[in-house]
Amino acid sequence: MRHHEVVIVGAGFAGVGAAIELRRAGVTDLVVLDRGDDVGGTWRDNTYPGAACDVPSILYSFSFAQNPDWSRSFSPQPEIHAYLQRVTREFGVEPHLRLRTEVVDVRFDEATARWHITTERGRYSARFVISAVGGLSEPVTPPIPGLDTFPGQVFHTAAWDHDAPLDGKRVAVVGTGASAIQVVPSLARRVGALTLFQRTPAWIMPRHDRDWTRVERWLYRRFPALQRLGRTLVYWGRELYVVGFRRPSPVMRLPQAIATRHLHRQVRDPKLRRQLTPDYTIGCKRILISNDFYPALTRDHVELVDAGLAEVRGSHVVGADGTEREVDAIVFATGFETRDHPVAHRVHGRDGRTLADVWAGGTRAHLGTEVAGFPNLFHLVGPNTGLGHSSMVLQIESQVAYVVDAIGQLRGTEAAADVREEVMDASDRRVQLALEGTVWTGGGCASWYLDDTGRNGTLWPSFTFAFRRQLARYRLEDHELVVPARSPERVSA
Ligand code: NAP
């Protein structure tokens, strides 16, 4: 068993960001484990045609590694992936990477106050574990009856089959979320016929996307302060959304009117317009941006089925409204596992209980980062850290700063710090109270933000600067210390 001071699980934005900041703080005995064969997380996995970020590029980077070379206002996936590969190299994280290393079990050993991590390629022990596995990393394909009888290609947007011969073929796409609206226009250009199964229409705003000019990029390179200024302006513009999200009406009428106008401008057919008009308040589900989704739906070879995919019969896909079409391939743009994350079943805390056990009544954590009963284990992009309005990289940086502070305070001891149950509960209550009456809980929609009971265990209900402020200091006094009874050396011998 190899021992490291810190084991980070996941090499996406969160894991790489944590490794960089820990190194900067002098914590160098660390490894970053990832099941994939490269860094990048979601930006490594989601390679479907048209994949791009719907948060402006200027905000979608580490604050300490801004990128003057983005090609556009909203970067395509390959550029974001390349950016993460570059910062991994430039900030010295590469030697710490252990790729193709899937974690299968993480277990706290009370006697030594250490974590034991079992992977498919060996075992590790660590004083600190940082879980940076991502909230949207497990693709979900719904259990459609008869799917196993389908003779053609079937794949998920997050596991795109680039060898599938789709050109000129009949393709069904299932879902109309953020991934679907990006992939549909690209597919519509290639396939012979496209059938889109829509269960719930999305609110879609215009995408103010353009190339960054050479002058702009030169200016940002030459005068980084200019890029920081641009970032600050975009940052505050996005924070304004929170005002509307928190008190849905009448503030949300303006974006809703803009989205309605966008639909009316791009879709002339009244029936199609009606089918594409949501019946819930904008913001309840993630607000999408696209200029080419609606036009794609107006093309002759593209058909919208205003119903979910209910069944597959051989090579036929059947909608809940009875519509039946023969297709050569099915693309599932049906999102990710957000309620019962497989990793939660693999993490065993102080009393042997798994995270999944603790989260059975809903995911919760102190400041989205710590769960009682799991000492010295930190979650990045944990419960109630998600955003509907801005860049997750901001949240990740706030959490990473908190974790670096925690590890700094605990390094001098042999103890592990377990956040007190009552502290976690109070933290969770505050968040749940703040979520009451927001557009996410009261906007009249079902979304992946909510669990089966209607509880929102995913979103941060406020400004990103408020999150940063709450995580500004790690309070040791909020924790119970677990002091090792045995010397870890004897255990690993
Ligand atoms: P998603 O938002 O969960 O959307 C899944 C879609 O599948 C929904 O439209 C859902 O309908 C539909 N669906 C599920 N089962 C269906 C069925 N049987 N028939 C028809 N439709 C069905 O997933 P996603 O689009 O992958 O996006 C997930 C999240 O990833 C986003 O909210 C965002 O945070 C992130 N993302 C970000 C970007 C970016 O640009 N930054 C791009 C892609 C994704 P219902 O709405 O009725 O449930």
Side-chain angles (χ1 to χ4, degrees):
M1 178 152 47
R2 282 151 286 183
H3 179 76
H4 295 280
E5 189 172 13
V6 184
V7 165
I8 300 172
V9 186
F13 256 106
V16 168
I20 292 173
E21 292 296 1
L22 282 168
R23 278 176 49 82
R24 286 169 144 190
V27 181
T28 53
D29 180 15
L30 64 92
V31 285
V32 185
L33 315 178
D34 197 293
R35 65 183 173 182
D37 56 5
D38 197 357
V39 298
T42 194
W43 297 106
R44 173 199 62 213
D45 295 341
N46 286 269
T47 59
Y48 58 83
C53 192
D54 60 9
V55 173
S57 312
I58 203 158
L59 262 190
Y60 209 81
S61 60
F62 291 119
S63 57
F64 55 82
Q66 296 202 37
N67 180 16
D69 294 318
W70 296 124
S71 66
R72 320 183 53 76
S73 341
F74 294 93
S75 310
Q77 169 268 333
E79 275 186 43
I80 305 173
H81 186 205
Y83 166 83
L84 273 170
Q85 289 171 318
R86 181 168 63 75
V87 294
T88 301
R89 254 188 335 268
E90 289 180 1
F91 287 86
V93 177
E94 249 175 359
H96 301 274
L97 292 176
R98 303 292 180 267
L99 299 173
R100 291 172 287 274
T101 304
E102 174 143 7
V103 171
V104 291
D105 191 83
V106 180
R107 216 167 271 269
F108 186 68
D109 177 42
E110 187 98 21
T112 57
R114 284 185 171 185
W115 286 93
H116 292 178
I117 301 109
T118 307
T119 77
E120 285 181 341
R121 293 163 75 106
R123 299 182 67 207
Y124 294 84
S125 70
R127 278 204 65 204
F128 303 98
V129 173
I130 299 177
S131 172
V133 295
L136 301 169
S137 54
E138 293 295 329
V140 168
T141 301
I144 304 287
L147 185 57
D148 53 343
T149 66
F150 185 71
Q153 268 91 16
V154 178
F155 50 90
H156 192 280
T157 43
W160 195 263
D161 180 353
H162 289 273
D163 297 326
L166 299 178
D167 293 347
K169 300 284 190 211
R170 298 162 299 179
V171 178
V173 177
V174 187
T176 46
S179 303
I181 66 139
Q182 292 184 340
V183 81
V184 163
S186 305
L187 273 184
R189 279 179 224 121
R190 298 168 52 184
V191 301
L194 193 154
T195 307
L196 175 64
F197 286 90
Q198 166 186 274
R199 207 162 57 180
T200 317
W203 283 109
I204 302 177
M205 303 275 278
R207 184 182 181 97
H208 299 293
D209 196 8
R210 60 170 183 79
D211 288 340
W212 276 16
T213 64
R214 277 184 28 213
V215 173
E216 215 168 352
R217 282 185 271 165
W218 179 82
L219 279 170
Y220 285 159
R221 208 171 305 120
R222 184 83 182 73
F223 306 105
L226 270 183
Q227 188 165 15
R228 282 199 295 276
L229 177 66
R231 181 177 164 107
T232 305
L233 293 175
V234 173
Y235 171 81
W236 286 108
R238 310 288 300 194
E239 290 299 283
L240 276 181
Y241 271 86
V242 176
V243 180
F245 286 153
R246 291 215 293 200
R247 293 285 162 260
S249 59
V251 188
M252 294 313 274
R253 285 205 196 115
L254 178 63
Q256 202 155 305
I258 295 171
T260 305
R261 200 165 132 239
H262 188 49
L263 170 64
H264 282 234
R265 274 190 164 177
Q266 295 198 317
V267 177
R268 298 270 168 226
D269 175 14
K271 181 175 170 221
L272 186 57
R273 260 189 201 166
R274 218 172 25 254
Q275 291 174 325
L276 290 169
T277 304
D279 62 358
Y280 54 87
T281 309
I282 193 168
C284 182
K285 285 173 182 282
R286 188 177 178 87
I287 299 177
L288 308 183
I289 53 166
S290 175
N291 295 340
D292 51 7
F293 176 67
Y294 289 144
L297 297 188
T298 64
R299 296 181 64 174
D300 289 343
H301 69 302
V302 178
E303 177 192 21
L304 180 79
V305 176
D306 189 20
L309 174 64
E311 196 187 339
V312 175
R313 289 188 206 131
S315 56
H316 292 247
V317 284
V318 186
D321 63 351
T323 306
E324 183 170 338
R325 298 285 177 269
E326 188 171 14
V327 295
D328 304 302
I330 307 174
V331 171
F332 282 95
T334 41
F336 300 88
E337 183 53 73
T338 52
R339 289 160 197 178
D340 191 22
H341 206 291
V343 167
H345 291 271
R346 301 178 189 178
V347 182
H348 304 257
R350 283 179 79 177
D351 48 9
R353 287 206 305 166
T354 63
L355 260 181
D357 295 333
V358 174
W359 283 345
T363 54
R364 67 195 72 217
H366 175 51
L367 304 174
T369 313
E370 295 174 279
V371 177
F374 298 80
N376 282 8
L377 172 70
F378 303 97
H379 299 270
L380 302 180
V381 191
N384 292 108
T385 58
L387 298 177
H389 70 286
S390 192
S391 166
M392 277 310 289
V393 185
L394 300 165
Q395 300 290 87
I396 288 169
E397 287 196 27
S398 298
Q399 288 192 286
V400 166
Y402 179 82
V403 174
V404 170
D405 186 13
I407 292 178
Q409 292 191 42
L410 290 162
R411 276 187 104 187
T413 75
E414 275 296 313
D418 189 7
V419 67
R420 292 180 196 282
E421 189 103 34
E422 64 273 19
V423 172
M424 180 177 86
D425 287 347
S427 178
D428 179 51
R429 265 198 309 277
R430 273 197 308 276
V431 170
Q432 292 304 321
L433 201 65
L435 279 162
E436 279 176 20
T438 62
V439 70
W440 304 297
T441 44
C445 75
S447 75
W448 64 262
Y449 299 151
L450 308 178
D451 66 18
D452 295 333
T453 66
R455 183 179 193 276
N456 189 329
T458 54
L459 285 186
W460 172 245
S462 182
F463 303 98
T464 61
F465 58 83
F467 187 70
R468 175 159 298 228
R469 206 169 44 218
Q470 288 203 15
L471 280 92
R473 188 171 76 82
Y474 176 79
R475 292 163 52 91
L476 196 54
E477 59 273 32
D478 286 345
H479 298 76
E480 180 195 329
L481 289 185
V482 182
V483 180
R486 281 190 284 148
S487 134
E489 282 67 34
R490 262 192 291 143
V491 173
S492 52

